[in-house]
Amino acid sequence: MQEFFTTLPPYLQALFAGIITWLLTALGASFVYLFKNIDTKVINTMQGFAAGVMIAASFWSLLQPSIEQSSDSMMPWLPAAIGFILGGIFIRLLDFVIPHAHQNSPDKNQRVEGPDTALGKNTLLFLAITLHNIPEGMAIGVAFGGVATGNDGATLLGALGLAIGIGIQNIPEGAALSMPIRASGLSKWKSFNYGQASALVEPVFAMLGALLVVVATPVLPYALAFAAGAMIFVVVEELIPESQSGNNTDLATLGLMGGFTIMMILDVALG
């Protein structure tokens, strides 16, 4: 796989990596054909696992390289700090302008955010998952862009490791979206399509992220931290609260630790 990727320009490397993460989301969404429903314990554990992967990726694959990229400057922490805050603000702004709903709130009802809308609950839930797939795609893109620009701390295997880690957590994520939609009464085919389509933004934003870094190399440390800030915002605002909303807090926490450990191993071993 590494030999294949080395022959491609960085934006195509990022695109193909994003397609892989989308396919793994589709794999998770296909669980609607295998299971009638998924126990809440499993869903909460999967949500915790996804949060752990994203937290680890935010530091090991994004923030640390961002700081290393600026190590020769007087304030090596500044680009990382600015990019990190802007990433969180970016997702917050999307929350304002795009209607979406979070499941598993403490009162067991969907929590609707954004402007008033007549969209159905399933569409709002789909939009919520799509929103948090955007920073995942961006993270993949800037990682591959960093390799192309000669960042000393960036390697092709490291970028692939990030994509693999995000792809792994996309499997339960696809199931966590398609299964509740199936339970609401939609057909297996429609539920599957909701699940897989939520990750279509990942290859798009992966390619855009790589192009941005390659065209404007000086933005790399800011872009890395931006993707990290966006992912951390999603983790704290959505994944952790939802994973802890049931009576399975210990399982969700263990899932988070497992996801963090796997992503850390991937990044250190491949980076």
Side-chain angles (χ1 to χ4, degrees):
M1 179 178 287
Q2 186 177 1
E3 292 181 0
F4 169 72
F5 270 76
T6 54
T7 63
L8 300 174
Y11 65 91
L12 285 183
Q13 291 175 345
L15 176 63
F16 276 106
I19 289 174
I20 291 172
T21 62
W22 162 65
L23 289 174
L24 289 172
T25 305
L27 174 63
S30 70
F31 287 2
V32 292
Y33 291 103
L34 302 175
F35 307 102
K36 189 173 183 179
N37 53 60
I38 297 182
D39 189 270
T40 305
K41 291 181 180 179
V42 177
I43 292 177
N44 290 155
T45 304
M46 291 190 303
Q47 290 167 330
F49 179 87
V53 169
M54 292 176 71
I55 292 171
S58 295
F59 176 74
W60 297 102
S61 300
L62 299 170
L63 278 176
Q64 187 179 44
S66 172
I67 295 171
E68 291 175 351
Q69 182 74 9
S70 306
S71 59
D72 294 333
S73 65
M74 293 182 60
M75 294 183 288
W77 47 266
L78 186 60
I82 292 174
F84 187 79
I85 295 299
L86 289 178
I89 292 173
F90 171 71
I91 297 298
R92 185 66 184 117
L93 290 175
L94 290 183
D95 278 347
F96 275 121
V97 300
I98 298 178
H100 58 285
H102 301 289
Q103 63 176 345
N104 295 333
S105 59
D107 60 1
K108 303 303 180 184
N109 294 318
Q110 287 183 326
R111 173 168 54 88
V112 179
E113 295 183 353
D116 293 336
T117 179
L119 294 174
K121 290 182 178 180
N122 290 331
T123 302
L124 291 172
L125 180 58
F126 161 79
L127 288 173
I129 301 298
T130 300
L131 272 177
H132 94 230
N133 282 330
I134 290 175
E136 293 177 8
M138 292 165 49
I140 293 169
V142 297
F144 280 98
V147 176
T149 56
N151 178 14
D152 292 338
T155 66
L156 184 59
L157 280 177
L160 285 171
L162 173 62
I164 292 169
I166 290 175
I168 290 173
Q169 66 94 24
N170 276 2
I171 297 174
E173 189 174 272
L177 175 58
S178 62
M179 296 300 291
I181 290 177
R182 171 60 177 159
S184 72
L186 263 66
S187 67
K188 292 180 181 179
W189 173 245
K190 288 184 178 180
S191 301
F192 166 77
N193 277 321
Y194 267 111
Q196 62 84 20
S198 67
L200 286 173
V201 294
E202 289 194 6
V204 174
F205 277 86
M207 184 170 63
L208 292 176
L211 283 171
L212 172 64
V213 170
V214 171
V215 172
T217 302
V219 307
L220 176 60
Y222 296 92
L224 287 165
F226 183 94
M231 292 216 296
I232 290 296
F233 188 96
V234 167
V235 168
V236 177
E237 194 254 354
E238 180 180 343
L239 287 177
I240 290 179
E242 291 183 1
S243 71
Q244 299 285 328
S245 63
N247 296 318
N248 310 300
T249 56
D250 288 345
L251 287 175
T253 302
L254 288 172
L256 186 150
M257 295 181 69
F260 185 98
T261 302
I262 289 174
M263 186 65 239
M264 179 180 65
I265 291 171
L266 282 173
D267 188 87
V268 174
L270 298 179

